[in-house]
Amino acid sequence: MSTTPPVLAAELAQAWADIQRHHPELPDLAAPESLIGESSSACGAELSFERLLHEAVHGIAAARGVRDTSRAGRYHNRRFLAIAEELGLDHPEEPHASSGFSLVTLNAEARRRYRPTIERLQRALKAHTVATAADTKRSFRGPAARHGSSGGGVRVKAVCDCGRNVRVVPSVLAQAPIVCGGCGKPFRIPETVGAAS
């Protein structure tokens, strides 16, 4: 199996098509490769089938003309939640203070329905991670790595104790603390929950 981004993008597109078979009103995924480097938002910190299904909820909301988020897309409201339940996603009882009902998880029925898709996508994601994480003396990372730049790498959500968040490349945050102007405490990258098995 090739581990290049175009192949992973094709696997993501296939998984999206599998969701469309069960939910025909879901629009086509315009640029699956855009999800590969996008690892942080209120929608989830890790690319997985669960995250893809979460994005499909937004796609159906857009197709229906439903405003499913507020606060610049961070707060997921009850309209998001209603569509998420249709797609087989469960949710916590109470909304999160800043992201609402964004923390959805696959229910057992959806996990069974999409098992082959989940397994195929997990294999592709694992192969992609191994291929892109391997750093040897012969690895070429381009000019950003040679000059110590963050290179516009993958940004993750860093949070402070007052609930504010920023998107930052982890290597930039590792260089020195970024302090919140609201509470004066440093932003930190929270522990992430592993992908669904």
Side-chain angles (χ1 to χ4, degrees):
M1 170 190 301
S2 173
T3 57
T4 61
V7 172
L8 179 54
E11 291 291 345
L12 287 165
Q14 181 59 52
W16 191 266
D18 291 348
I19 298 168
Q20 283 179 313
R21 275 194 280 286
H22 295 281
H23 303 281
E25 69 183 306
L26 177 62
D28 291 339
L29 183 58
E33 61 277 1
S34 68
L35 293 172
I36 295 169
E38 183 64 32
S39 70
S40 169
S41 70
C43 301
E46 187 171 332
L47 186 55
S48 64
F49 181 78
E50 192 170 80
R51 165 83 187 279
L52 195 65
L53 200 57
H54 176 125
E55 296 298 339
V57 172
H58 292 301
I60 288 176
R64 293 178 182 174
V66 171
R67 185 168 179 209
D68 63 340
T69 63
S70 59
R71 300 181 196 165
R74 290 185 308 273
Y75 191 87
H76 292 58
N77 59 35
R78 290 192 184 277
R79 291 180 292 273
F80 169 85
L81 182 57
I83 299 170
E85 289 172 345
E86 290 177 37
L87 271 68
L89 292 166
D90 285 335
H91 57 88
E93 291 296 317
E94 295 297 320
H96 184 274
S98 63
S99 62
F101 293 101
S102 69
L103 303 173
V104 290
T105 57
L106 279 171
N107 67 29
E109 181 184 334
R111 194 176 306 280
R112 277 190 302 276
R113 174 186 303 145
Y114 293 112
R115 178 179 298 279
T117 304
I118 292 167
E119 291 171 355
R120 189 179 67 242
L121 186 57
Q122 282 179 332
R123 282 192 302 272
L125 287 165
K126 183 177 179 183
H128 177 75
T129 300
V130 167
T132 57
D135 216 351
T136 68
K137 290 181 181 180
R138 295 188 45 83
S139 296
F140 178 72
R141 295 288 180 216
R146 288 197 310 273
H147 301 294
S149 164
S150 69
V154 175
R155 287 164 174 72
V156 297
K157 184 179 359 181
V159 298
C160 71
D161 291 339
C162 70
R164 298 179 73 211
N165 63 69
V166 295
R167 294 183 61 178
V168 62
V169 176
S171 63
V172 170
L173 192 59
Q175 291 171 9
I178 297 174
V179 180
C180 174
C183 69
K185 294 189 178 174
F187 284 93
R188 61 184 167 67
I189 298 171
E191 298 283 326
T192 58
V193 177
S197 300

